[in-house]
Amino acid sequence: MRIETVTQELSLKRSVDSGTEQQRAAVQQIIRTVRSDGDAALLAYTRQFDGAELSDMRVTPEEIAEAYQAFPKEMAEVIKEAAGNISLFHQKQLRQTWTYTDQNGTMLGQKMTPLDSAGVYVPGGTAAYPSSVLMNVLPAKVAGVKRIVMVSPPGSDGRLPAGVLVAADIAGVEEIYKVGGAQAVAALAYGTETIEPVDKITGPGNIYVALAKREVFGDVDIDMIAGPSEIVVLADETAYPAEVAADLLSQAEHDPRASSVLVTPSRKLAEETAAEVEKQLKSLPREEIARKAIEDYSAIYVTKDMQEAVSVVNQLAPEHLEIMTEGALSIVENIRHAGAIFIGRFSSEPIGDYFAGPNHVLPTNGTARFSSPLNVDDFMKKSSLIMYSETAFRENADKVAAFARLEGLEAHARAVEARKEQ
Amino acid sequence: MRIETVTQELSLKRSVDSGTEQQRAAVQQIIRTVRSDGDAALLAYTRQFDGAELSDMRVTPEEIAEAYQAFPKEMAEVIKEAAGNISLFHQKQLRQTWTYTDQNGTMLGQKMTPLDSAGVYVPGGTAAYPSSVLMNVLPAKVAGVKRIVMVSPPGSDGRLPAGVLVAADIAGVEEIYKVGGAQAVAALAYGTETIEPVDKITGPGNIYVALAKREVFGDVDIDMIAGPSEIVVLADETAYPAEVAADLLSQAEHDPRASSVLVTPSRKLAEETAAEVEKQLKSLPREEIARKAIEDYSAIYVTKDMQEAVSVVNQLAPEHLEIMTEGALSIVENIRHAGAIFIGRFSSEPIGDYFAGPNHVLPTNGTARFSSPLNVDDFMKKSSLIMYSETAFRENADKVAAFARLEGLEAHARAVEARKEQ
């Protein structure tokens, strides 16, 4: 693993796949076809892309029951416990409608309302993660979204993985369709005979899914489009190299374009961690993927002190940040940009991926500068409340009319003045 | 004005300008040029599109002083008072970092951090509204954003309107550039020699500005892309037709594609309001614009009762909703989708546009189904906090490792297990 002394500019390759013109055109074509042909288009694409011949896309209660049969009981229990933790953490985020009334009797406030509906995309194949189901569905559930729809591409046998169905059932999803790709996104955005449209689409997917989400954005809401996973470990000489290395590799195994970075003022830790990474890599089942990520998109930065290390972290604005230093908690207030901050030795990143409660859908590719983990606010909207009192009105009507006229909007001024006459 | 009895589907034309292929290509070209040529490109486009020959884009303290000289003192006072009200309402939205510690000693929470920087676009010409400056800048200011940059296209004399500069100064903007269009958006997103890039761009603009925001979305955050203004008035026979009509026209004067709708169970109110609209239209300075909006995008819907009226409102999901009925406040809880809700006779919509405190940047075109008025949250981001205790770790490590292995992620499992060894 590459060790660099931080001088000026950080040299870290980042990978954003924004798709080719051809892919974009293909996605636009799929969306048009779904909008015009509805279910027939969905079934045809599922035949073409997933090799599955379906007559009905909706998952039946029998399929859910079969999934439970096929799934290890003790794992269903772990999923339930994780779901409980995730729900609890997200409940703490719930905000209530608030109002206040000033001395003039004017009431102002914000009304909080859950979205009517949300659609969750779950990728197929090896990326069909039960944990993603929980992380996308439960914030919407906690927000109070009544209708939650899940879509996922079936295998060529026309089925969804048992783990995904069990997680969906535990999370309380009652409407699941076996359809994936850009066609599923189009169906969620615009509806078909079978699938009613939703207000927001979340969840990860391949480049076609990402491009489709970008296309429908505005007609429905979407979550951020995720890039490859990233971890930054901020550590000093009190950290254990074997643990740091293991955490770096846990992100590296996700994707050959994943990025794992150690930032430390300790050259000793840097060198020992690099050696540990090499040692641990050799025995990983996904060695090839992880090795590419480590070689191409990862680095160890040695800084002159902890202050410079924190500044490097803020420059990177990582998706995941682990702090394994003396007095780790006191460093948190200086972190300006990070999706999730894991504090101390026992907060290994997979704890957060699966179990602790906070969401694992996090801003990637530096977008932690301006965006947040998936959360309950993402499934609610605010409406401003304005109940102006007569007293306040009589006091301020002329000012408002003057302001409107200043902007050349005479009808605005007259709307206010219309009240003065009665 | 068209009166319709609500039966099944509402027939209301909506206008979304998503731009032509040609416009999109022009915007992409402008962005590429700004990225490669920086300031030189900005100055050249300003010459080409705004007819202004500038050597320095940055507004000087002298220009601010001149703006105050040229601007009516009493209007500066009104703007100050409005700014105070807007700041106060937005301060109520501010959320603090929170954490909780469970019985195992694990601490979880959300850290709230303002964005480092925000850019506000202010349109030129007749749409250069001082109120927009306040509404876009103050939420960022309240959130704690340190660097707020304003951009606006100059007139051919190379100046910005005095009202815009005064409002910017009152709102506390210290960095203003005389540049507009797609080139200004590109500069805010990617930076030039003079303009440092920002994390988020908000503010209204023409189709080129809207397309440019869409192009840079992802590299920076943007607010929703606004469509033409809309108002829905929900009223019963207790409302005054002259007031309802005046409020409908206050939105209609904005844009020939604006939409003004009355929903009422009272045919009498419907007919009297229609007559009032016609009468008031005739004396409006912007009669032509308002008349087109009323004829093409507006309607009066007569419903069989108030319940059906509420359901029509929810179907429309309007940007502005006025409720002028008996017991207006009790209807609010049944409103599921609206950007801002104006309750009672004295809450004429322009009061909210200028003065009351809530934001006038609101979701248009039905997007109130899933989005919110511009607010303080838009200028902050959350980071999850996870400080797992050793007790919690020892209790749950095996479950997490099992969950990771279920998903085929061996390195995740080993990262957790690495801690068990020491």
Side-chain angles (χ1 to χ4, degrees), chain A residues 95 116 199 247 250 253 336-338 341 343 345 347 369 377 381-384 386 388 412 419, chain B residues 95 116 199 247 250 253 336-338 341 343 345 347 369 377 381-384 386 388 412 419:
Chain A
R95 287 195 295 170
D116 283 352
D199 292 324
D247 289 1
S250 77
E253 78 170 337
R336 299 191 52 76
H337 314 298
I341 305 173
I343 306 151
R345 205 189 137 199
S347 307
R369 281 186 296 115
D377 292 343
K381 72 275 173 85
K382 300 150 196 149
S383 302
S384 301
I386 301 163
Y388 224 55
H412 281 62
R419 269 76 177 173
Chain B
R95 288 195 292 171
D116 283 350
D199 293 324
D247 289 1
S250 76
E253 78 170 336
R336 297 189 54 77
H337 314 299
I341 306 174
I343 306 152
R345 206 192 136 196
S347 308
R369 281 186 295 114
D377 292 343
K381 71 273 172 84
K382 299 151 197 149
S383 303
S384 301
I386 302 163
Y388 225 54
H412 281 62
R419 268 79 177 171

Side-chain angles (χ1 to χ4, degrees), chain A residues 258-411:
Chain A
S259 169
S260 298
V261 172
L262 168 61
V263 185
T264 179
S266 162
R267 179 157 291 271
K268 179 160 177 281
L269 181 73
E271 283 166 3
E272 289 175 6
T273 301
E276 269 292 335
V277 164
E278 191 48 45
K279 183 177 132 200
Q280 294 183 21
L281 252 177
K282 292 205 179 82
S283 69
L284 278 187
R286 293 165 78 118
E287 179 190 354
E288 204 181 330
I289 293 171
R291 189 174 290 279
K292 274 212 77 66
I294 292 292
E295 281 171 5
D296 293 350
Y297 295 100
S298 304
I300 297 176
Y301 293 115
V302 180
T303 60
K304 66 171 190 289
D305 53 23
M306 191 46 75
Q307 197 186 336
E308 187 183 60
V310 167
S311 141
V312 168
V313 169
N314 282 328
Q315 234 176 298
L316 295 170
E319 181 191 15
H320 304 95
L321 171 66
E322 289 185 354
I323 308 180
M324 290 192 272
T325 63
E326 187 105 58
L329 190 56
S330 69
I331 287 176
V332 172
E333 67 177 308
N334 298 317
I335 302 300
R336 299 191 52 76
H337 314 298
I341 305 173
F342 296 79
I343 306 151
R345 205 189 137 199
F346 293 103
S347 307
S348 176
E349 193 266 351
I351 300 273
D353 277 349
Y354 290 112
F355 202 77
N359 212 288
H360 79 198
V361 180
L362 297 168
T364 55
N365 197 37
T367 59
R369 281 186 296 115
F370 52 76
S371 47
S372 305
L374 194 65
N375 64 86
V376 171
D377 292 343
D378 290 325
F379 296 97
M380 308 195 77
K381 72 275 173 85
K382 300 150 196 149
S383 302
S384 301
L385 298 174
I386 301 163
M387 189 158 85
Y388 224 55
S389 71
E390 183 165 357
T391 312
F393 178 82
R394 303 232 174 261
E395 195 176 303
N396 297 312
D398 291 344
K399 299 174 204 166
V400 174
F403 206 154
R405 288 202 171 97
L406 173 75
E407 296 192 347
L409 296 171
E410 178 65 22

Side-chain angles (χ1 to χ4, degrees), chain B residues 142-182:
Chain B
V142 169
V145 176
K146 289 232 174 67
R147 180 171 166 255
I148 300 175
V149 185
M150 199 176 99
V151 294
S152 189
S156 57
D157 61 353
R159 290 169 164 277
L160 295 183
V164 164
L165 292 181
V166 168
D169 188 65
I170 289 171
V173 183
E174 289 168 359
E175 195 179 337
I176 309 173
Y177 298 99
K178 293 181 279 189
V179 60

Side-chain angles (χ1 to χ4, degrees), chain B residues 6 26 43 46 82 87 111 121 142 150 164 172 175 193 208 232 241 259 272 280 308 315 334 341 376 392 409 417:
Chain B
V6 172
L43 293 173
T46 303
S87 293
K111 178 179 194 293
Y121 189 94
V142 169
M150 199 176 99
V164 164
E175 195 179 337
E193 301 90 323
Y208 294 96
V232 170
S259 169
E272 290 176 4
Q280 294 182 22
E308 188 182 59
Q315 234 175 296
N334 298 316
I341 306 174
V376 172
L409 296 171
E417 286 166 353

Side-chain angles (χ1 to χ4, degrees), chain A residues 208-262:
Chain A
Y208 294 97
V209 172
L211 289 174
K213 280 165 71 180
R214 203 176 244 277
E215 285 289 328
V216 303
F217 172 56
D219 291 329
V220 297
D221 199 12
I222 60 167
D223 59 354
M224 266 281 153
I225 291 167
S229 198
E230 311 153 2
I231 188 171
V232 169
V233 179
L234 173 65
D236 61 15
E237 65 293 340
T238 65
Y240 296 84
E243 297 176 6
V244 174
D247 289 1
L248 294 174
L249 290 172
S250 77
Q251 287 315 292
E253 78 170 337
H254 269 300
D255 190 317
R257 299 169 309 146
S259 169
S260 298
V261 172
L262 168 61

